[in-house]
Amino acid sequence: MNVDMTVLMGVVAEKGMSLEKLISAIENGVAAAYAELPEAKPFGRAVLNRQTGQIVIWVPVLGPDGEHIDSVMDEPEDFGAKATSTARKVIKQAMRDANDATIVGEFSGTVGDVISGIVQQGRDATVIYVDLGRVEGKIPPNEQTPGEEFKHGDRIKAFVVDVKQGEKGPEVTLSRTHPALVKVLFALEVPEVKDRTVEIVGIAREPGHRTKISVKSNRQGVSPKGALIGPMGSRARAVMDELHGEKIDIVDFSENPAVYVANALAPAKVTSVEVVDLETKSAKVVVPDYQLSLAIGKDGQNARLAARLTSWRIDIHPDKPSERIAKPKPVVESEAELGAASEAETNEGGPVSAE
């Protein structure tokens, strides 16, 4: 039972592994294989000679009281081939583990960033598999945007949520729903965001439908909204195309909560904003009658996203609440009907009206 120490040292140097840890793994693997033999003696342990590469099984000799008296070498018949095979398996597994650790370390640096890959046909139809080169990423159902469909071979950009060592190798979890996906996509398109001239302060997103982004400029004379929109809207359009047409509202951030709330309700025009309670962050917003539905949005989406973006509770009211309109009286078409109506008023003590 021998291991080529020259090869072993080469593997250790190439993979950056610990020699002692690898030798310990080989010894444990061979000892476990020995213990499975029918003729194996209790407490047998494998020892690898660091100079010659020879693996020997040592079995303790115990006294009447269980004390260790001596150790003897055991050489079961035909065990040499099994021990050598076990050592090879351990070395290969250690190499895979070292390679996986390298990949995990490499991709751990991409957590919180956007990565590009090619969609692959996967085993599970509910999961989107993405070829990232050295490893395969996964977009689970809860990280997929409703309505988005990808085919085998499509190029895709996704946000890296987590990287870890799984039971079957490195696992890279990706997301198409994370709000930060929009932020990083804009950073890729807008140099002013990358160099921090323009800062994205907040993001509220309903994936596949609408996103609101608040921005501010850290340099005088630079329009933050203009930077994100780009010439002829090219930058914002590029991000929306990557998100398959998801609408994006870009609004100006303000330290003044009333102004910030008003901006967040764009594209609706706001008449006034009253801070009701600063501690609970509650505000009353008044909008023109004809802007009420726009301010609230379809199924309350615009108001909901504005509240999430600003972290304020927003109550929206029209500036001229519609008054109740009385139902008109029926038109009297003949003298007979007029007489009947007069008689009814006399009997009931007043005019007839409906609300």
Side-chain angles (χ1 to χ4, degrees):
M1 296 181 287
N2 287 282
V3 173
D4 190 331
M5 292 302 294
T6 304
V7 175
L8 197 65
M9 295 293 289
V11 170
V12 168
E14 180 185 352
K15 298 296 182 181
M17 301 163 60
S18 167
L19 177 61
E20 287 303 316
K21 286 185 178 180
L22 182 55
I23 289 176
S24 177
I26 293 172
E27 291 175 339
N28 292 337
V30 173
Y34 170 79
E36 294 176 357
L37 298 176
E39 65 272 26
K41 295 179 174 59
F43 310 113
R45 64 188 183 91
V47 178
L48 189 151
N49 188 305
R50 270 66 167 170
Q51 303 300 322
T52 64
Q54 184 183 19
I55 303 175
V56 177
I57 300 295
W58 291 96
V59 178
V61 178
L62 305 178
D65 297 327
E67 71 277 15
H68 183 271
I69 298 175
D70 197 3
S71 294
V72 296
M73 187 170 63
D74 188 19
E75 297 180 290
E77 189 177 353
D78 298 329
F79 182 62
K82 186 173 184 180
T84 302
S85 175
T86 300
R88 287 175 179 169
K89 289 179 181 178
V90 170
I91 293 171
K92 287 181 180 179
Q93 183 61 49
M95 291 174 64
R96 283 195 295 268
D97 291 345
N99 187 57
D100 289 350
T102 301
I103 293 174
V104 169
E106 176 185 332
F107 279 88
S108 291
T110 65
V111 174
D113 205 347
V114 168
I115 197 167
S116 180
I118 305 296
V119 175
Q120 300 295 303
Q121 188 71 39
R123 300 169 296 280
D124 186 349
T126 65
V127 176
I128 299 175
Y129 295 87
V130 183
D131 181 5
L132 302 174
R134 298 185 63 189
V135 69
E136 186 178 67
K138 297 180 181 179
I139 307 179
N142 62 309
E143 298 291 352
Q144 297 175 23
T145 299
E148 282 191 336
E149 294 183 1
F150 296 95
K151 302 186 299 293
H152 179 81
D154 286 350
R155 179 163 289 277
I156 186 175
K157 289 180 180 178
F159 185 80
V160 183
V161 177
D162 186 34
V163 178
K164 64 181 180 181
Q165 178 64 40
E167 294 181 359
K168 298 182 180 180
E171 294 182 357
V172 180
T173 304
L174 307 174
S175 173
R176 288 282 296 179
T177 63
H178 202 289
L181 171 63
V182 184
K183 182 176 182 179
V184 180
L185 288 176
F186 269 110
L188 295 174
E189 294 289 337
V190 184
E192 292 87 346
V193 172
K194 192 171 183 179
D195 65 17
R196 299 181 182 276
T197 300
V198 171
E199 182 181 346
I200 296 177
V201 180
I203 297 179
R205 185 184 182 204
E206 292 190 358
H209 300 286
R210 199 179 202 94
T211 292
K212 281 186 180 289
I213 298 180
S214 59
V215 293
K216 70 175 184 178
S217 175
N218 294 323
R219 183 184 301 172
Q220 190 173 3
V222 176
S223 168
K225 288 173 62 176
L228 265 67
I229 294 171
M232 305 294 291
S234 58
R235 295 172 177 176
R237 187 164 55 251
V239 175
M240 287 189 287
D241 288 345
E242 177 59 39
L243 299 176
H244 291 176
E246 183 174 314
K247 296 179 181 178
I248 299 177
D249 296 333
I250 304 172
V251 303
D252 287 317
F253 172 78
S254 175
E255 295 289 350
N256 185 327
V259 175
Y260 191 25
V261 168
N263 292 343
L265 285 170
K269 304 298 181 182
V270 174
T271 302
S272 66
V273 178
E274 176 189 350
V275 175
V276 178
D277 192 326
L278 193 59
E279 186 175 344
T280 61
K281 291 188 173 182
S282 178
K284 177 182 177 181
V285 176
V286 177
V287 299
D289 269 357
Y290 66 93
Q291 292 279 300
L292 182 60
S293 60
L294 186 61
I296 296 173
K298 183 179 180 181
D299 298 325
Q301 185 185 75
N302 193 60
R304 185 167 59 248
L305 286 174
R308 284 164 52 187
L309 181 68
T310 60
S311 300
W312 277 69
R313 183 178 181 275
I314 304 173
D315 293 325
I316 303 175
H317 302 269
D319 57 356
K320 295 179 181 178
S322 300
E323 297 179 358
R324 296 174 64 189
I325 301 175
K327 188 175 181 179
K329 296 180 182 179
V331 178
V332 178
E333 297 182 353
S334 66
E335 293 185 2
E337 290 178 349
L338 180 60
S342 299
E343 185 179 352
E345 288 181 10
T346 302
N347 294 335
E348 296 180 11
V352 177
S353 63
E355 296 184 359

